Amino acid sequence: MLLYRWRQARLQQRGIEHHLIVNTPEEQRLADRVGVRAKEISQYVYCDEKIFRPMSVEKKFDALYIAKSEAFKRHALAKDVARLAILKSSGPDVADFCPEVSHATANTEILEPQEVALFINQAHCTLALSAEEGGMFASFESLLCGIPVVSTPSRGGRDRFYTETNSLISQPDSLSVRQAVDKFVHGGADGANIRADAVARLEMLRCEYSNYISEIASCGQDGRAQILDRLRSLNLDHLFCEASQPSIPLSIRKLLV
């Protein structure tokens, strides 16, 4: 915390006001308690619903796990899933890192987001097996594709967007994970409703984000509308891609770059 306050003071000397965007109410309460300026928005505000969308493709996998090859991801919990795919973003090859899941289909090169979205759609469900993590982009991207999630109990924010219809919470052992996966393999899920709910939540996050920025900048109601339109049309790293206006005033643009 002393380091944070030192950095905050340095930014203030340069005329920069620093705010944190946090994923959970617990993080918000902690920030409030120690006097850090923060707002609970969720990192999912940066997800791209045009790339991560439902596709009419064959189901090739019972479950897909998108996870870097690091211990906290607990790959071995998926060892009993027969038709398993694992996509890594970094680290050693999955089979070398975790021999228990060496039967999984795995990538050897980093995939483009469109390729990841295709893999998601080819699975009956995706996995979220870490005990503690941030929001976990892959979890929400799965919901945007209309694909349910099998998760273990977790801290960090991903469970904030789970419902009785878009996810199952499994005990953190391989048998329980496989049984939860089997429920989606044999029982299916309402992909259209999963997608619609995720898109609605994403829109709410963007509104919260634009309102927060406008409050900081004292923009008023008109400013909030302009900021929301700008957030939708930024298209930086393909974010906020639902563009509704071709241009936003320079005074608003400066708040967002």
Side-chain angles (χ1 to χ4, degrees):
M1 186 53 59
L2 289 176
L3 178 60
Y4 172 82
R5 292 190 180 282
W6 177 79
R7 288 175 175 171
Q8 187 179 59
R10 292 292 299 272
L11 289 171
Q12 288 177 339
Q13 292 175 357
R14 297 166 56 192
I16 298 173
E17 187 175 359
H18 185 235
H19 294 252
L20 293 179
I21 301 300
V22 299
N23 284 308
T24 67
E26 291 77 11
E27 292 172 342
Q28 180 71 69
R29 286 193 289 270
L30 176 61
D32 293 342
R33 188 160 63 246
V34 299
V36 173
R37 293 170 297 194
K39 176 67 174 177
E40 181 196 351
I41 298 291
S42 174
Q43 66 190 48
Y44 294 155
V45 74
Y46 296 108
C47 287
D48 187 335
E49 74 275 25
K50 280 192 171 180
I51 291 178
F52 294 95
R53 57 183 176 78
M55 302 177 188
S56 298
V57 295
E58 178 187 357
K59 297 296 185 186
K60 296 182 178 180
F61 311 109
D62 295 339
L64 166 69
Y65 193 22
I66 303 172
K68 62 182 70 176
S69 295
E70 294 190 17
F72 78 94
K73 286 291 192 175
R74 304 197 294 188
H75 292 69
L77 293 180
K79 67 180 183 179
D80 292 335
V81 177
R83 296 196 305 163
L84 176 67
I86 298 179
L87 303 182
K88 71 179 181 88
S89 59
S90 63
D93 289 343
V94 171
D96 296 331
F97 173 74
C98 183
E100 294 96 326
V101 294
S102 59
H103 65 287
T105 297
N107 61 320
T108 56
E109 298 180 352
I110 302 302
L111 302 180
E112 294 295 325
Q114 293 85 349
E115 297 173 298
V116 174
L118 177 60
F119 264 93
I120 293 174
N121 277 275
Q122 290 174 329
H124 286 281
C125 64
T126 61
L127 303 176
L129 304 178
S130 58
E132 295 186 5
E133 191 173 352
M136 190 178 176
F137 281 115
S139 174
F140 194 73
E141 289 166 350
S142 178
L143 301 182
L144 287 173
C145 291
I147 304 300
V149 180
V150 170
S151 174
T152 55
S154 63
R155 295 178 58 192
R158 69 175 182 253
D159 61 333
R160 171 184 172 188
F161 299 91
Y162 292 160
T163 68
E164 293 182 354
T165 58
N166 71 13
S167 61
L168 285 172
I169 307 301
S170 164
Q171 291 302 308
D173 64 80
S174 60
L175 176 59
S176 296
V177 169
R178 180 183 63 77
Q179 290 173 337
V181 169
D182 286 346
K183 289 181 180 180
F184 286 128
V185 172
H186 300 300
D190 190 336
N193 280 340
I194 291 174
R195 159 75 177 187
D197 179 70
V199 170
R201 288 170 181 264
L202 187 57
E203 181 67 10
M204 290 177 60
L205 288 176
R206 290 171 178 168
C207 287
E208 290 178 22
Y209 198 10
S210 64
N211 287 341
Y212 184 61
I213 294 174
S214 70
E215 290 169 4
I216 294 172
S218 301
C219 292
Q221 186 63 39
D222 292 340
R224 278 194 291 272
Q226 290 177 323
I227 289 173
L228 180 55
D229 286 335
R230 181 58 183 166
L231 289 174
R232 287 170 171 159
S233 62
L234 276 173
N235 202 31
L236 299 174
D237 297 325
H238 305 290
L239 307 179
F240 303 106
C241 57
E242 292 288 353
S244 59
Q245 290 188 9
S247 62
I248 298 296
L250 179 61
S251 59
I252 301 300
R253 190 179 312 124
K254 286 181 177 179
L255 297 174
L256 302 166
V257 298

